[in-house]
């Protein structure tokens, strides 16, 4: 019993000391607040609540989703268009996959030209997969939201693949120039090591440019309804939602587009002028026809890709509407990946022969 009384007395003394320290602390705090309010006449409660509201708004702004309005939201028969684009996606995916498989499986196609040709097919396969699946899922599920991270990822892959294709098409024109204008030195210059360097420069340059543009685009604060008037997160459509002035950055983006589109296009045109002059001096009609067939396929791919890109990214936004941007983006990201395997295969005897060989082999195995 005595021990319990001692324990109670000890506990009571401890609580008394704690309470005294608390009263001293509270009194000091109250004295500090009164001095602060005397020197700076504002309400501390309002300041703390406003800071808290700003932090909450900033956190909500960071975590808020975007909303993709989709492809032509006011169109009456949009379901027919989406179904058609899904069919185009299946054709493009299958065509590019088959072309990559043929180049990989047939030893006759293990040449620098076809090795480089497999990379645009891989880029087209990835490019159309960046936009179409998300668009169709949003349409058939009825959900149009996309997170900020997913939107930034889509911008990154779109620009990385697009920039890589621009660089790769330019370097492929150099391959065609060497094959036609300097055929005796072609095998020495365009060796497997050079082909690997061309691929690394193309993929690395596109990825680096895309990383810089994506980080700078997504660092802007976004406000308003966060509705993107597009069927995927395209940089100009996303920048329209920014609360800050983005005109300087759009000017810089136009300069970057000149570097990645106009400058390569000028190099391509220069190389093909030299090629055509060489073709005109050829005595063999068969060689002339084969050279023109190869060059025309490459020029068709360049025009299908660079034409819409120049209109979207180099012209001021006041000169084109969001509907026109969507149409050109469809050509650039959906129809071009579908047409490229057809352009390269139907006009190429070696690719057609490899396809027949593969089909006959499968038929014999059955």
């Amino acid at each position: 019993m005595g021990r319990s009384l001692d324990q109670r007395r000890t506990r009571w003394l401890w609580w008394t000391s704690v309470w005294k320290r608390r009263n001293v602390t509270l009194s000091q705090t109250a004295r500090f607040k009164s001095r602060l309010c005397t020197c700076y006449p504002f309400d501390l409660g309002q300041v703390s609540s406003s800071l808290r509201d700003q932090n909450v708004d900033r956190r909500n702004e960071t975590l808020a989703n975007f909303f993709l309005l989709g492809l032509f939201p006011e169109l009456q028969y949009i379901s027919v268009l989406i179904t058609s684009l899904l069919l185009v996606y299946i054709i493009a995916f299958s065509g590019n996959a088959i072309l990559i498989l043929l180049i990989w499986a047939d030893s006759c196609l293990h040449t620098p030209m076809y090795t480089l040709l497999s990379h645009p097919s891989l880029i087209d396969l990835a490019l159309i997969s960046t936009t179409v699946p998300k668009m169709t899922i949003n349409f058939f599920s009825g959900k149009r939201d996309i997170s900020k991270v997913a939107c930034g990822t889509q911008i990154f892959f779109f620009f990385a693949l697009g920039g890589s294709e621009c660089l790769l098409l330019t370097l492929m024109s150099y391959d065609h120039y060497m094959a036609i204008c300097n055929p005796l030195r072609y095998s020495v210059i365009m060796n497997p090591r050079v082909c690997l360097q061309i691929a690394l420069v193309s993929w690395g340059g596109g990825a680096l440019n895309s990383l810089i543009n994506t980080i700078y685009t997504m660092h802007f604060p976004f406000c308003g309804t966060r509705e993107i008037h597009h069927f995927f997160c395209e940089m100009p459509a996303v920048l329209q939602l920014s609360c800050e002035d983005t005109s300087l950055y759009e000017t810089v983006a136009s300069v970057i587009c000149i570097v990645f589109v106009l400058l390569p296009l000028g190099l391509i045109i220069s190389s093909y002028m030299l090629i055509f002059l060489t073709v005109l001096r050829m005595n063999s009609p068969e060689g002339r026809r084969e050279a023109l067939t190869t060059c025309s396929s490459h020029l068709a791919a360049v025009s299908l890709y660079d034409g819409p890109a120049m209109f979207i990214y180099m012209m001021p936004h006041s000169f084109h509407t969001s509907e026109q941007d969507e149409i050109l983006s469809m050509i650039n990201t959906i129809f071009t990946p579908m047409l490229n395997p057809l352009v390269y295969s139907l006009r190429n005897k070696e690719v057609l022969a490899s396809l027949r060989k593969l089909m006959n082999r499968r038929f014999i195995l059955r």
Side-chain angles (χ1 to χ4, degrees):
M1 189 71 180
R3 184 178 299 176
S4 62
L5 289 174
D6 291 338
Q7 290 177 352
R8 292 178 183 176
R9 189 179 297 110
T10 303
R11 185 174 298 176
W12 181 80
L13 291 173
W14 181 80
W15 277 109
T16 303
S17 62
V18 170
W19 183 255
K20 287 180 180 180
R21 288 197 301 270
R22 180 177 181 275
N23 287 338
V24 171
T25 304
L26 290 175
S27 62
Q28 291 176 351
T29 304
R31 195 179 302 114
F32 173 76
K33 285 185 177 180
S34 63
R35 291 178 181 177
L36 186 64
C37 292
T38 304
C39 298
Y40 302 98
F42 52 77
D43 191 354
L44 292 176
Q46 292 181 357
V47 173
S48 61
S49 63
S50 63
L51 291 174
R52 194 182 305 113
D53 294 338
Q54 290 178 3
N55 292 331
V56 171
D57 293 339
R58 190 177 295 109
R59 191 180 303 113
N60 291 335
E61 178 185 336
T62 304
L63 299 177
N65 294 341
F66 294 100
F67 296 94
L68 294 171
L69 296 183
L71 189 64
F72 308 125
E74 298 179 357
L75 190 64
Q76 185 176 2
Y77 300 103
I78 187 63
S79 59
V80 177
L81 179 60
I82 298 297
T83 306
S84 302
L85 293 179
L86 184 59
L87 180 62
V88 170
Y89 170 74
I90 295 172
I91 296 173
F93 193 94
S94 304
N96 286 286
I98 291 172
L99 189 57
I100 294 172
L101 178 63
L102 289 176
I103 295 173
W104 176 77
D106 194 349
S107 59
C108 297
L109 299 180
H110 292 175
T111 61
M113 185 181 72
Y114 291 108
T115 302
L116 294 177
L117 185 59
S118 64
H119 289 278
S121 297
L122 183 60
I123 289 174
D124 290 337
L125 191 148
L127 182 62
I128 195 171
S129 299
T130 303
T131 57
V132 176
K134 179 62 178 175
M135 178 187 66
T136 53
I137 290 172
N138 285 356
F139 176 76
F140 289 109
S141 65
K143 297 179 180 179
R144 300 183 180 273
D145 60 319
I146 181 172
S147 65
K148 190 174 183 180
V149 175
C151 187
T153 303
Q154 201 173 44
I155 292 175
F156 171 77
F157 280 106
F158 177 76
F159 269 91
L161 296 169
S164 300
E165 186 155 8
C166 280
L167 295 176
L168 193 59
L169 291 174
T170 305
L171 296 174
M172 285 177 66
S173 67
Y174 174 74
D175 172 76
H176 295 161
Y177 166 78
M178 293 301 302
I180 296 173
C181 299
N182 295 297
L184 298 179
R185 300 177 58 193
Y186 177 76
S187 59
V188 177
I189 296 176
M190 297 301 297
N191 53 59
R193 182 181 178 182
V194 173
C195 293
L196 179 61
Q197 291 174 352
I198 289 175
L200 290 177
V201 168
S202 301
W203 287 93
L208 180 62
N209 170 62
S210 178
L211 182 63
I212 296 172
N213 279 282
T214 303
I215 293 175
Y216 203 78
T217 299
M218 301 308 292
H219 98 282
F220 286 108
F222 300 101
C223 55
T225 59
R226 290 177 172 262
E227 293 181 349
I228 300 176
H229 293 268
H230 219 289
F231 62 93
F232 70 99
C233 287
E234 193 181 29
M235 188 188 71
V238 174
L239 287 177
Q240 292 180 0
L241 305 178
S242 176
C243 306
E244 297 181 358
D245 184 18
T246 60
S247 57
L248 178 61
Y249 173 63
E250 290 176 3
T251 304
V252 174
S254 299
V255 174
I256 294 175
C257 187
I258 291 174
V259 174
F260 272 83
V261 177
L262 276 188
L263 184 60
L265 185 61
L267 295 175
I268 291 172
I269 294 174
S270 301
S271 63
Y272 275 109
M273 288 177 64
L274 298 175
I275 289 173
F276 289 143
L277 291 176
T278 304
V279 169
L280 292 176
R281 292 195 296 265
M282 286 183 177
N283 296 323
S284 173
E286 182 67 23
R288 186 183 304 174
R289 184 167 54 252
E290 185 177 354
L292 290 176
T293 300
T294 304
C295 295
S296 61
S297 300
H298 184 254
L299 285 176
V302 171
S303 60
L304 284 172
Y305 185 80
D306 287 350
M310 286 190 295
F311 189 85
I312 294 174
Y313 297 104
M314 297 185 62
M315 293 186 64
H317 295 299
S318 58
F319 285 79
H320 49 92
T321 62
S322 58
E323 288 79 11
Q324 292 174 343
D325 289 343
E326 291 182 9
I327 294 174
L328 293 173
S329 296
M330 284 174 55
I331 297 173
N332 203 359
T333 62
I334 300 177
F335 291 107
T336 300
M338 182 193 69
L339 293 175
N340 277 345
L342 300 177
V343 168
Y344 283 117
S345 61
L346 293 179
R347 298 175 61 87
N348 195 300
K349 295 180 180 180
E350 294 178 350
V351 175
L352 291 176
S354 178
L355 182 59
R356 294 192 196 98
K357 188 190 302 183
L358 181 63
M359 294 177 64
N360 292 333
R361 188 184 306 170
R362 290 189 60 185
F363 181 76
I364 293 173
L365 291 176
R366 288 182 180 180

